[in-house]
Amino acid sequence: MFSVRVFWKTISFQTEKLPTCRWWLLCSRDCHSASGPCLGANELKGARNNQVTKRKRERSSCGPVLDLFDQQYREELGKLWLSARSVLLDPHCWQYGVMLNRFTAVTDVTQILQSQGFSRLLTAPPTPVSHLEYQAGKDSLLSAHCSTTCRADDSCPQSDSSSHPLPSERLHSLPHHSLQCYIHPRPLRLPSQVHRPGQLKQYYLLNAASLLPVLALQVKDGEKVLDLCSAPGGKALAIMQCATPALLCCNEPDPHRRDWLAKTLESFLPHSLNSTVIVSAQDGRFFGQSEASTFDKVLVDAPCSNDRSWLYSCSSQQGEQRLKERARLPALQVQLLQSALSAVRPGGLVVYSTCTLSSSENYAVVERVLKDFPEAIPEDLWEEIAVPLSKNFTFTSANPGHGQTSLEFSLQQQNNVISSYRHRFGILVVPQPGKTWGPMFLSRIRKKK
Ligand SMILES: C[S@@+](CC[C@H](N)C(=O)[O-])C[C@H]1O[C@@H](n2cnc3c(N)ncnc32)[C@H](O)[C@@H]1O
């Protein structure tokens, strides 16, 4: 029925020869897209008391990209852009999430993480909270917590878990029982693990905001799931940490990125899942035609102007080229989301996500698709995701210039109320000092039965 190939079963690739030291003493050479401090052996063992090693090579931002972001995001995000900008321009400040792999033993990693002050994301507080405390958490959602640029050494503010307790009943509604992700209030980064044939990796490093689209998808055991734009596979892995679907189809048309995806899957998932997790190579825009109404859940983690990495384009020329491509992205994103809505069964869910702050690739894409799809109903993620997770992430949902009138906006400001209209099309995680996660936009749409 599916035009897919079980790709990752057969793939072979070069592996680095491991030195004799234990894996966690290594620092990665292929880790995240920009430089950041890396936890070395002594830090992990606690011997040097949490010191952070800065990477030697500094990277500078790309002028044309920054100019455009300044122009666009100042208008779209107001003051929130100034503090987001300070984070994006300071990679030493970036935090890294550690998603554990439930298909391998992780006790040693967990112990190390805990001893270094990492804590588990998505753990509900043990005691119920009062209405006032709940309101305090809610009201903090849109506030930028610090306007100064944080440094890797010591000045990033620590998230204060006691000041904004969260409604435990809401956290319990998130499907996170088996998904284990550890985060640290400071920008400590575990080294990436190298691939070793026959051995599964214990953890995957990620921007913790990448987990939110997966949580919004609410995958349950036995469901058929499509990850339409899958490489390098971080969200596919997260789906497999949350549940055991009957099928997870990971689609990626770019051959190089598909190799990377296959390598990720092979490094983290046991052979017993080879017939459950499959890789396909279609152009996602046509999936809806070839597999109409087939899947229970579809994730569209769309190609987008990836703000973090585009800001560090290696030359002005590359930056300018990317900005030209940027204008073409919304049309592709609209087609991918339309295709996803065709591929999902009536009653099923589609989550659309990007890692850009740009409203034309976020709210505007969703709004455009909904116009032509009367059977598609946008769902409110504010109460389900933004409110319970406001301790860890800074969320916003729209801006004066897009999707609402300025009158509505000023009324909301006066009343300190977030109207349901404001977050109808999705929620946006904006990186802020001390909570540097994001950018990440997510929107959930249900197809009517
Ligand atoms: C943001 S990345 C996906 C990241 C991935 N979901 C993860 O969590 O690791 C977007 C991906 O979409 C792929 N892509 C680009 N055009 C596409 C198309 N027409 N159909 C499907 N995927 C496409 C890109 O090659 C890229 O790998």
Side-chain angles (χ1 to χ4, degrees):
M1 163 179 138
F2 299 102
S3 51
V4 293
R5 291 156 57 202
V6 182
F7 190 89
W8 61 282
K9 270 199 267 189
T10 51
I11 196 163
S12 67
F13 47 88
Q14 295 282 320
T15 56
E16 290 183 56
K17 208 163 188 242
L18 277 176
T20 46
C21 56
R22 295 162 80 187
W23 56 261
W24 61 72
L25 308 189
L26 301 171
C27 271
S28 152
R29 275 170 284 144
D30 67 341
C31 48
H32 267 232
S33 55
S35 61
C38 183
L39 271 177
N42 292 333
E43 285 80 9
L44 277 172
K45 289 175 164 181
R48 278 207 275 144
N49 196 23
N50 271 358
Q51 266 190 337
V52 173
T53 311
K54 284 186 181 178
R55 295 179 95 191
K56 287 193 186 110
R57 200 161 50 90
E58 296 288 340
R59 298 174 69 182
S60 53
S61 61
C62 176
V65 176
L66 184 58
D67 288 348
L68 186 99
F69 284 4
D70 274 337
Q71 207 182 332
Q72 181 181 347
Y73 296 154
R74 199 180 293 138
E75 188 194 322
E76 292 183 0
L77 296 169
K79 280 187 196 153
L80 211 52
W81 167 238
L82 290 182
S83 39
R85 184 186 197 274
S86 74
V87 171
L88 294 176
L89 289 177
D90 186 8
H92 292 303
C93 183
W94 297 357
Q95 292 159 281
Y96 295 86
V98 183
M99 179 171 70
L100 298 186
N101 184 9
R102 73 176 170 124
F103 301 106
T104 187
V106 289
T107 317
D108 52 350
V109 192
T110 310
Q111 282 169 355
I112 291 166
L113 290 169
Q114 286 170 347
S115 73
Q116 292 300 315
F118 281 80
S119 58
R120 201 172 152 184
L121 186 67
L122 307 170
T123 303
T127 47
V129 293
S130 70
H131 174 73
L132 277 180
E133 288 169 327
Y134 169 51
Q135 198 58 41
K138 246 182 144 176
D139 293 347
S140 76
L141 291 170
L142 286 167
S143 64
H145 286 253
C146 168
S147 57
T148 53
T149 302
C150 53
R151 304 296 320 172
D153 40 21
D154 63 1
S155 57
C156 274
Q158 309 249 336
S159 304
D160 180 0
S161 56
S162 61
S163 61
H164 299 308
L166 300 165
S168 53
E169 71 278 9
R170 285 172 195 279
L171 276 169
H172 285 310
S173 72
L174 294 171
H176 60 267
H177 4 274
S178 54
L179 174 66
Q180 288 195 62
C181 179
Y182 281 81
I183 55 173
H184 198 284
R186 291 201 299 134
L188 302 186
R189 203 196 74 212
L190 236 60
S192 301
Q193 291 182 286
V194 291
H195 175 81
R196 289 204 271 185
Q199 204 166 325
L200 297 180
K201 292 187 184 179
Q202 292 168 298
Y203 61 84
Y204 185 85
L205 297 181
L206 78 181
N207 183 325
S210 306
L211 295 176
L212 304 185
V214 173
L215 294 178
L217 200 60
Q218 298 187 336
V219 175
K220 298 186 180 59
D221 291 353
E223 289 186 327
K224 279 201 241 172
V225 184
L226 170 62
D227 182 7
L228 193 66
C229 312
S230 192
K235 292 187 187 64
L237 288 184
I239 289 170
M240 294 307 293
Q241 303 304 315
C242 292
T244 307
L247 175 76
L248 172 60
C249 178
C250 302
N251 182 65
E252 175 56 54
D254 179 297
H256 298 295
R257 291 182 65 85
R258 200 163 58 247
D259 282 356
W260 188 7
L261 167 68
K263 191 172 162 180
T264 308
L265 297 174
E266 185 176 322
S267 301
F268 285 89
L269 302 180
H271 291 304
S272 56
L273 290 171
N274 280 9
S275 53
T276 304
V277 183
I278 57 178
V279 174
S280 77
Q282 278 202 56
D283 183 326
R285 290 174 292 178
F286 308 117
F287 229 102
Q289 288 164 18
S290 58
E291 309 295 345
S293 298
T294 300
F295 296 93
D296 299 295
K297 305 278 163 73
V298 181
L299 176 63
V300 188
D301 189 32
C304 66
S305 35
N306 179 333
D307 292 348
R308 270 190 201 235
S309 83
W310 283 29
L311 206 45
Y312 293 93
S313 301
C314 56
S315 64
S316 295
Q317 216 177 1
Q318 189 193 35
E320 274 159 12
Q321 184 56 37
R322 283 176 159 172
L323 295 179
K324 277 186 200 148
E325 284 164 28
R326 198 174 202 236
R328 291 194 287 272
L329 283 167
L332 171 62
Q333 291 157 343
V334 164
Q335 286 178 294
L336 288 168
L337 183 49
Q338 285 169 333
S339 170
L341 280 163
S342 300
V344 80
R345 66 162 168 84
L349 289 178
V350 172
V351 169
Y352 172 79
S353 59
T354 73
C355 53
T356 177
L357 298 169
S358 178
S359 64
S360 56
E361 295 177 48
N362 295 336
Y363 308 100
V365 168
V366 175
E367 197 172 8
R368 167 82 187 73
V369 170
L370 290 174
K371 269 190 194 142
D372 299 336
F373 245 101
E375 66 273 41
I377 311 293
E379 294 198 331
D380 190 345
L381 295 175
W382 192 262
E383 292 290 321
E384 182 182 311
I385 291 199
V387 171
L389 293 175
S390 62
K391 183 181 81 163
N392 301 107
F393 303 92
T394 300
F395 292 94
T396 184
S397 60
N399 54 76
H402 296 262
Q404 64 184 337
T405 65
S406 53
L407 173 67
E408 281 168 323
F409 185 68
S410 70
L411 282 174
Q412 285 157 22
Q413 283 188 318
Q414 276 168 25
N415 300 333
N416 200 14
V417 167
I418 312 295
S419 81
S420 61
Y421 182 83
R422 211 174 154 199
H423 42 82
R424 209 175 117 208
F425 298 127
I427 56 175
L428 179 67
V429 180
V430 183
Q432 293 294 298
K435 297 197 254 181
T436 64
W437 316 111
M440 182 60 56
F441 171 80
L442 52 149
S443 173
R444 187 171 69 204
I445 301 168
R446 187 177 291 279
K447 190 165 159 184
K448 264 194 221 161
K449 280 195 179 156

